[in-house]
Amino acid sequence: MKNFQIGKEINRLLTEGNALNVTGKIFPLVANPNTSFPFLVYRRLSYRPANTKDGIGEIITIEVNIASETYNEGVDIANSVADILCSAHSQLIQRVQLINVSEMFIQDTFIQNIQFQIELQD
């Protein structure tokens, strides 16, 4: 089972090359207290086995939340996250598909929520 490695792989993809301009502010599950804007939080939402022509595969759904001080900044970062992840291929990841987006404003924070379906390599 490779699904337990997906969080580490997502972190590597999002921090590689510093394309997001959020150095040191990408967190699994919850951000550190008093983290300044902008920052990202990601988590695994679901797992399911999938039958493929080569056997049993694994499909993971992950969620990335971008917290920002301004709406435009959050949208720009969300777009970059989607570009990075949807083009990702690695020894672990076969294909990534954007499956849902939403946004909200909570406690003076703009939040962009993005969900991805990830097919793992067999």
Side-chain angles (χ1 to χ4, degrees):
M1 298 190 101
K2 299 176 183 178
N3 77 81
F4 295 106
Q5 302 300 315
I6 197 63
K8 292 192 302 187
E9 184 72 357
I10 294 304
N11 189 292
R12 182 189 70 77
L13 290 166
L14 294 178
T15 57
E16 198 170 71
N18 195 26
L20 296 176
N21 197 27
V22 291
T23 302
K25 297 189 282 183
I26 298 174
F27 304 97
L29 302 177
V30 64
N32 291 338
N34 302 316
T35 299
S36 62
F37 294 117
F39 62 87
L40 279 72
V41 176
Y42 62 90
R43 69 184 180 125
R44 181 178 47 237
L45 286 178
S46 68
Y47 163 84
R48 69 180 165 92
N51 292 321
T52 67
K53 64 179 175 125
D54 299 321
I56 302 294
E58 297 177 88
I59 297 176
I60 309 298
T61 302
I62 65 150
E63 175 181 75
V64 178
N65 289 298
I66 296 102
S68 61
E69 200 166 26
T70 68
Y71 179 81
N72 288 343
E73 180 178 49
V75 168
D76 291 344
I77 294 170
N79 190 65
S80 294
V81 166
D83 287 346
I84 290 167
L85 294 183
C86 287
S87 64
H89 290 70
S90 69
Q91 290 183 337
L92 182 64
I93 295 173
Q94 180 175 329
R95 183 171 72 126
V96 179
Q97 181 178 10
L98 178 67
I99 59 170
N100 194 22
V101 296
S102 63
E103 56 190 9
M104 61 189 113
F105 184 76
I106 301 174
Q107 297 178 349
D108 297 329
T109 305
F110 290 95
I111 299 174
Q112 297 295 320
N113 175 280
I114 316 168
Q115 294 178 6
F116 299 91
Q117 180 175 288
I118 301 173
E119 294 178 33
L120 301 182
Q121 299 282 6
D122 290 335

